[in-house]
Amino acid sequence: FSEKSEWLVVGDGSLLNGVPFAGLPDVSGPPGRLIARHTLRFLPSELLLLVPAAERPASSFLGVADPIYNLADSRLAPHVREAESSEDGASISLARLVGSEKEIRTAALLSRMSDEELLVGTRATIQNLRKSLVASPEIVHFAVHVVSPAGQAQEAALALSLKHGMPELLTSETIATYHLPGSLVVMSGCFSEPGKTLPSAGLVGLSRAWLLAGADAVLVSAWPTPDDSGRFFSEFYRHLQANIEFKPAVPLANRAAVALQQAQLDMQRNKDYSGSPSFWAAYNVVSKE
């Protein structure tokens, strides 16, 4: 098995959920980490090996970033701010992700898709997202907060802009109703990978929901990562585009795994915080096969 360049990993059991495999030492070869000789993809359950491949999606990029999380946000019109603040119920404020818009704009540019749409600020809503997904974009990139009740990782949701004074939550149940065949979904928000491991079903969470919606692969983070305008994802998309140009027949999930491996190797060579596994090993590709 150590000679195989492509690894599919099913972390069977809660102890293996969130293990940073990319940063582990490769004890079967020359000194180094697993990503030096292997591309890694993670399956929530081996049952997903039986899911047939989806049709090829449209060559377009959809980005969702920098939602309105606070009624004091200057991007809210005064009458909208007043209407939102007058709604009944508690108000929850999340920190604004200042670098997230730059992250998706850079990602859209480097992806070189034929078309792009960015849902930023007041446009980062579930209603707008649902409309945009009708076109089945090839890449969907979220740079938003991921929230969940304490101790209930399977209930994690993507936090979009305020609605009735509260961030609108995109839950796994809602995601699973979408139709997103053959796409790559990127969730750069903190803790977008964790879920709950159930007997026979495997890992249940946001990544599993996107796969149920038809996505070929989901790129997730296993722990908090900095809001640094997508330094890591600039490298990822640069390699992903190169893989598309030179290996167009290779499935998107495979290209994403190779691009992730190459981006992590690039980061590993850096002399600052980004060279530490605590930064680059947070990211994994979850796929169906």
Side-chain angles (χ1 to χ4, degrees):
F1 295 117
S2 65
E3 299 303 316
K4 301 291 185 180
S5 61
E6 182 182 359
W7 282 16
L8 298 180
V9 180
V10 180
D12 189 7
S14 57
L15 288 178
L16 295 179
N17 183 13
V19 169
F21 284 88
L24 297 181
D26 187 353
V27 297
S28 62
R33 303 185 188 277
L34 282 181
I35 56 168
R37 297 199 304 145
H38 308 284
T39 61
L40 304 173
R41 284 191 287 139
F42 298 84
L43 281 66
S45 168
E46 61 270 25
L47 291 175
L48 290 176
L49 289 168
L50 303 177
V51 178
E55 61 265 30
R56 190 175 180 84
S59 178
S60 61
F61 179 98
L62 173 63
V64 184
D66 199 11
I68 304 289
Y69 288 139
N70 195 306
L71 291 173
D73 196 308
S74 60
R75 294 173 294 171
L76 276 180
H79 69 280
V80 175
R81 187 180 299 113
E82 182 179 350
E84 289 282 353
S85 61
S86 65
E87 294 285 348
D88 294 333
S91 177
I92 297 178
S93 295
L94 299 171
R96 181 179 176 183
L97 296 172
V98 180
S100 61
E101 180 176 355
K102 183 178 180 181
E103 176 182 317
I104 64 166
R105 290 191 181 278
T106 301
L109 178 66
L110 294 175
S111 71
R112 297 187 185 179
M113 296 286 103
S114 59
D115 191 20
E116 69 177 58
E117 183 177 7
L118 305 180
L119 302 179
V120 178
T122 56
R123 298 193 66 230
T125 66
I126 290 180
Q127 181 180 10
N128 288 334
L129 174 65
R130 185 182 295 111
K131 292 178 181 178
S132 300
L133 290 179
V134 171
S136 295
E138 185 168 356
I139 298 175
V140 183
H141 187 124
F142 291 92
V144 303
H145 279 299
V146 178
V147 298
S148 63
Q152 300 182 52
Q154 74 276 14
E155 300 296 331
L158 297 168
L160 304 185
S161 284
L162 293 177
K163 183 176 183 180
H164 307 315
M166 299 279 286
E168 202 172 17
L169 300 181
L170 182 61
T171 65
S172 296
E173 290 78 11
T174 300
I175 291 170
T177 65
Y178 295 153
H179 183 60
L180 202 62
S183 299
L184 167 65
V185 177
V186 175
M187 295 186 292
S188 66
C190 302
F191 289 115
S192 55
E193 177 183 14
K196 185 174 183 179
T197 303
L198 301 179
S200 300
L203 183 65
V204 177
L206 289 172
S207 56
R208 177 69 165 262
W210 286 115
L211 296 179
L212 291 174
D216 262 9
V218 187
L219 200 158
V220 295
S221 63
W223 56 77
T225 53
D227 177 29
D228 63 352
S229 302
R231 180 178 182 183
F232 179 86
F233 288 101
S234 293
E235 292 300 311
F236 170 76
Y237 281 108
R238 183 169 62 83
H239 288 298
L240 181 66
Q241 177 58 32
N243 291 334
I244 292 174
E245 290 178 350
F246 294 109
K247 299 178 180 178
V250 176
L252 183 56
N254 299 70
R255 296 201 307 268
V258 172
L260 177 62
Q261 176 198 29
Q262 293 170 334
Q264 289 174 322
L265 289 172
D266 288 346
M267 293 290 107
Q268 188 177 233
R269 302 184 187 100
N270 294 339
K271 302 302 182 183
D272 58 8
Y273 74 93
S274 64
S276 170
S278 63
F279 175 70
W280 52 259
Y283 300 103
N284 293 313
V285 170
V286 182
S287 69
K288 295 179 179 177
E289 51 75 29

